[in-house]
Amino acid sequence: RPQRHGGRCYLLHPRDIPLPFPFHNPKVTETATMMNAPFPNAQRMHYEGAASSSTGHRTMTNEAIILPKISADDQVAQRDVEEESNANATNMVLWRGNLVAEKEAMALRHVFDDMQDHFGHQRADPRVRFNANLVRPSRDGMWFGDLDFTYNINGEHCNLGYIGMDVSVDLCPKLVHKHGQLRLKNYGKSWVYVYLPQLTLDKFKSYVKTGTGWDVSNEGTVYDPNRNLVAIEAMLHHQTGQPKPSFWAVKDKDAPGDNMSFSRIGTVQEVNEHPHQQRVHRGVGIFSVSMEVEGSPNFKPTPRAGDEANLCFTLVSVRTWGVTDCVAPIVHAPNKWY
């Protein structure tokens, strides 16, 4: 029987086999073919109140958490952000139609174009350090902050608000109504499920712990114990003025990894409207990540034993190698077992 968190149910097919993720790490040359709008603005769009409404916790005992191997150079990567911003202010370059600091452009190319240092099955530990600053207290005592990622790129430490992971993105149709009740509202418009191996998520959590000191809860996730896969509820920017997530498809599946190129075929929301694309797509998802921690309005919380932070993933771009039939998608969200 599948386990569920926050009332979500993971449905499986008996024929399912382990999820096949590509093991190569291609350098990508991307070509826009339909939509010529610039890529997500280099300044991250914050998803206010992004914490999932799901509840529930699961203690991970089946799989060992893999601690990131962060070198001594990475340990001193955190610098004074204001000083670095001032130093880069006069060195602005264009990246996808956005005028950004030179170092930020280096990090954007590293993550979006070259697809380097992202989390995935049988990949080397990413050379990146996680940082967070909880700065937005709410009236009920919840504190919010965005994760920032410091990449070590040929000895240069570059900060960016985005991180990549090997995932499968679920664009399959959902059961919208069940017994007269609305289910999975706005699926494919404001949020989607993304699936990834449990070990990949465990490694991501270990980086959060190493960089911020916070343990991570299982809020907003669904665990499939049969194959150690996890489903994450990933938010999508969809409101007017927000850069909607881009969807890129591989041009030649048989091309060598170093020569692989992708074409932009629209936004995730646009692709989701085409019946022939309503499948589970495997590839790399690029995310911004925010953190929510319970505290009090007057005191900023600090990591303590037993306390956990909730993470919210916002999908900003997808690179897909194609569809997979090895993942049975979630189709509805029951309140109880039937």
Side-chain angles (χ1 to χ4, degrees):
R1 171 177 291 187
Q3 297 184 18
R4 60 189 174 94
H5 303 289
R8 305 296 191 202
C9 174
Y10 207 162
L11 305 180
L12 301 173
H13 291 175
R15 67 176 182 275
D16 285 347
I17 59 176
L19 183 66
F21 284 110
F23 298 152
H24 58 273
N25 200 3
K27 183 174 182 178
V28 181
T29 302
E30 296 173 341
T31 306
T33 57
M34 287 180 59
M35 304 293 177
N36 293 320
F39 225 60
N41 196 321
Q43 183 177 3
R44 177 168 44 192
M45 298 292 293
H46 297 298
Y47 187 89
E48 301 293 341
S52 168
S53 60
S54 302
T55 59
H57 301 275
R58 170 181 170 268
T59 301
M60 290 173 290
T61 57
N62 295 333
E63 303 291 346
I65 293 181
I66 304 174
L67 293 177
K69 301 179 180 63
I70 299 180
S71 68
D73 290 339
D74 291 319
Q75 296 290 345
V76 297
Q78 289 180 289
R79 301 176 178 178
D80 189 281
V81 176
E82 183 177 355
E83 179 181 339
E84 183 173 349
S85 298
N86 291 336
N88 289 329
T90 57
N91 298 320
M92 306 298 287
V93 297
L94 278 175
W95 182 83
R96 306 277 178 81
N98 297 282
L99 192 63
V100 298
E102 188 174 12
K103 263 197 171 182
E104 186 174 11
M106 182 187 300
L108 288 166
R109 288 191 292 266
H110 187 75
V111 174
F112 285 84
D113 300 340
D114 299 340
M115 296 167 62
Q116 298 294 310
D117 281 328
H118 65 270
F119 290 78
H121 182 59
Q122 295 188 4
R123 294 190 185 276
D125 289 343
R127 293 179 59 82
V128 59
R129 183 176 179 84
F130 289 26
N131 314 287
N133 184 23
L134 300 174
V135 295
R136 302 200 300 273
S138 62
R139 292 182 179 178
D140 60 0
M142 300 301 293
W143 286 68
F144 302 91
D146 294 313
L147 285 179
D148 287 306
F149 309 99
T150 302
Y151 293 91
N152 185 344
I153 307 174
N154 299 324
E156 293 280 350
H157 294 102
C158 305
N159 294 325
L160 192 66
Y162 304 107
I163 194 77
M165 291 192 293
D166 282 342
V167 296
S168 288
V169 180
D170 182 3
L171 299 184
C172 295
K174 304 303 174 191
L175 184 63
V176 178
H177 291 85
K178 185 176 179 64
H179 303 305
Q181 298 180 2
L182 191 63
R183 304 293 188 188
L184 302 185
K185 185 178 180 181
N186 291 326
Y187 188 85
K189 177 182 178 181
S190 63
W191 69 282
V192 293
Y193 281 119
V194 297
Y195 310 120
L196 69 161
Q198 177 71 54
L199 281 175
T200 301
L201 183 59
D202 285 349
K203 178 172 285 190
F204 188 92
K205 289 181 177 181
S206 73
Y207 273 65
V208 175
K209 174 68 173 180
T210 300
T212 71
W214 286 100
D215 291 308
V216 178
S217 74
N218 292 303
E219 187 87 4
T221 66
V222 186
Y223 177 57
D224 167 15
N226 294 329
R227 291 175 300 147
N228 287 321
L229 287 181
V230 179
I232 295 175
E233 300 173 8
M235 302 295 109
L236 304 175
H237 290 311
H238 64 285
Q239 297 178 351
T240 302
Q242 293 181 329
K244 294 181 174 61
S246 298
F247 193 97
W248 300 70
V250 67
K251 295 175 65 176
D252 183 0
K253 297 180 181 179
D254 299 323
D258 290 341
N259 296 321
M260 188 173 290
S261 61
F262 291 74
S263 295
R264 187 181 189 276
I265 62 176
T267 66
V268 171
Q269 290 91 338
E270 291 167 343
V271 173
N272 185 59
E273 294 177 354
H274 294 278
H276 69 282
Q277 296 283 8
Q278 292 175 350
R279 307 280 298 278
V280 177
H281 298 261
R282 64 187 182 95
V284 174
I286 301 174
F287 302 85
S288 63
V289 187
S290 59
M291 175 183 288
E292 176 192 67
V293 178
E294 186 175 358
S296 67
N298 299 323
F299 298 97
K300 183 177 180 178
T302 57
R304 296 179 300 176
D307 291 344
E308 293 182 321
N310 301 328
L311 297 182
C312 176
F313 293 83
T314 299
L315 184 64
V316 299
S317 187
V318 178
R319 309 291 191 278
T320 176
W321 284 280
V323 300
T324 177
D325 294 322
C326 298
V327 177
I330 298 173
V331 295
H332 63 88
N335 288 329
K336 63 180 181 179
W337 298 108
Y338 292 101

